[in-house]
Amino acid sequence: LAMYAAKRAGAHSWMKHDPSMVDRRAMDALLAEDLTGAAGRGELIVLYQPIVDLATGNPSGYEALVRWRHPVRGLVPPLDFIPVAERTGLIYDLGLYVLTRACTDLVHAPGSPYVSVNLSPRQLQTPTLVHDVLSAVKRAGLPMERLVLEVTESAIVDEKSIVTLHELRGHGIRIAVDDFGTGYSSLHYLTRLPVDILKIDRSFVAELDGTPTGSAIAEAVIRLAQVLRLRTIAEGIETADQTRELLALGCPTGQGFLYAKPGPLEAVFTNAGRSLDPAHPSPKLSEAER
Ligand code: C2E
Ligand code: MG
Ligand code: MG
Ligand code: MG
């Protein structure tokens, strides 16, 4: 790797003085090279985490979370390759692959749950996004009302991204703000954003400890959502106490390891036994890889 990095850096002598930069660029280049065509080779795996009604524990939808099974590196978590895909532009096709996979996987799921798919900033900035999302969802046969797209505050950077979200919502797709509270958007901005759902970031759920200070941010987000008539989904629920507190604060929905870790389709729908759509089987994930 060092030699590869040195070669690549050769053209930019300044990089030789910043080894961390060389490593980053070389790693990016190597990963990006491997990531190109990963979907076509069946290396991308989409796991599903239920989003449950906190009062009953019943799932109302599922968030699609991608994994990359690299032939040499093994299972690569999204935080290790999504940023690279974002920097190199590979995220656009990768994102459409995940969307298509998720819609196809869940279109016939019992109870007609909604499907929640993450959308990166770069995807939101691409002019063909609305067209490509609509055709992917139509091809899968999923009603637009059953799709939620998750965007972070930092992705909604300009008028164009707001117009795009308006367009998507015009077709019945719902928009969730992911990791809400961790970005830098002003609260004033939020009142005019075309969104339906606020996802309370895991860090604020982790602070819930029965004290007013611990619940301060979660409570503020929930109140804000109530006034703006938005739904809230709490992320990263790990204890029954957190669920009790969220319900008391007025948050009706959530996801987290307390309920289920993200799992392959077959495991999420245990009684389905096999892929719900035998015509389009998903790549399998072994027990050891989870
Ligand atoms: P996210 O969208 O905020 O997803 C929630 C993350 O929290 C997931 O991590 C999930 O496994 C994890 N999580 C859920 N419940 C718990 C819990 O109770 N405790 C803890 N400690 N963690 C919990 P994951 O799957 O590693 O994904 C990380 C991030 O990668 C996601 O954060 C999302 O930003 C990004 N990502 C994943 N799949 C995609 C994708 O298809 N497209 C894009 N653009 N980003 C994706
Ligand atoms: Mg998400
Ligand atoms: Mg999140
Ligand atoms: Mg998060």
Side-chain angles (χ1 to χ4, degrees):
L1 177 63
M3 268 177 63
Y4 183 93
K7 254 193 205 164
R8 282 203 152 253
H12 309 281
S13 58
W14 58 270
M15 285 171 95
K16 289 176 187 147
H17 304 293
D18 185 351
S20 64
M21 182 68 83
V22 173
D23 283 0
R24 153 67 57 93
R25 298 244 171 152
M27 289 298 284
D28 271 22
L30 287 172
L31 266 178
E33 210 174 288
D34 287 358
L35 196 52
T36 307
R41 294 189 301 270
E43 292 171 11
L44 294 184
I45 296 176
V46 181
L47 303 185
Y48 299 96
Q49 184 177 40
I51 299 171
V52 307
D53 181 297
L54 294 180
T56 63
N58 294 330
S60 48
Y62 293 86
E63 179 171 7
L65 294 157
V66 71
R67 304 286 182 268
W68 178 19
R69 186 164 45 197
H70 187 281
V72 178
R73 292 163 205 249
L75 208 65
V76 186
L79 293 180
D80 288 356
F81 68 92
I82 293 288
V84 179
E86 179 78 11
R87 285 194 289 273
T88 55
L90 288 168
I91 191 69
Y92 192 76
D93 288 343
L94 190 156
L96 283 178
Y97 174 83
V98 173
L99 175 73
T100 303
R101 176 91 264 158
C103 293
T104 313
D105 276 352
L106 291 176
V107 65
H108 297 123
S112 305
Y114 62 84
V115 184
S116 207
V117 179
N118 292 283
L119 209 63
S120 82
R122 183 118 170 205
Q123 286 176 276
L124 197 60
Q125 293 301 313
T126 307
T128 50
L129 181 79
V130 175
H131 170 267
D132 288 341
V133 165
L134 294 180
S135 58
V137 179
K138 273 182 201 145
R139 249 183 294 121
L142 190 86
M144 298 294 165
E145 290 68 28
R146 281 178 57 195
L147 179 65
V148 173
L149 292 175
E150 303 190 2
V151 297
T152 54
E153 293 161 81
S154 59
I156 313 171
V157 288
D158 54 10
E159 273 317 305
K160 262 203 303 201
S161 42
I162 294 177
V163 169
T164 302
L165 295 181
H166 269 298
E167 275 184 64
L168 291 166
R169 283 182 88 221
H171 290 277
I173 296 168
R174 279 168 295 164
I175 306 297
V177 185
D178 206 350
D179 307 333
F180 185 73
T182 61
Y184 293 95
S185 67
S186 79
L187 294 179
H188 171 250
Y189 197 55
L190 183 68
T191 61
R192 49 182 288 274
L193 284 186
V195 301
D196 305 278
I197 299 161
L198 297 184
K199 296 193 77 169
I200 304 170
D201 190 66
R202 173 151 67 83
S203 57
F204 307 128
V205 172
E207 282 171 9
L208 296 173
D209 58 2
T211 71
T213 315
S215 64
I217 307 225
E219 187 171 2
V221 174
I222 293 163
R223 293 285 163 271
L224 184 66
Q226 285 168 342
V227 173
L228 297 176
R229 298 185 186 285
L230 305 174
R231 289 193 65 93
T232 45
I233 298 175
E235 301 189 271
I237 303 175
E238 294 184 356
T239 70
D241 282 342
Q242 288 167 348
T243 293
R244 268 190 290 277
E245 212 173 328
L246 286 161
L247 277 171
L249 293 172
C251 174
T253 340
Q255 63 192 106
F257 295 169
L258 176 66
Y259 298 98
K261 287 193 167 180
L265 189 66
E266 302 65 34
V268 171
F269 298 98
T270 37
N271 36 10
R274 53 181 64 228
S275 175
L276 293 172
D277 184 357
H280 303 90
S282 311
K284 297 275 186 295
L285 194 70
S286 76
E287 198 55 42
E289 286 174 311
R290 299 177 56 198

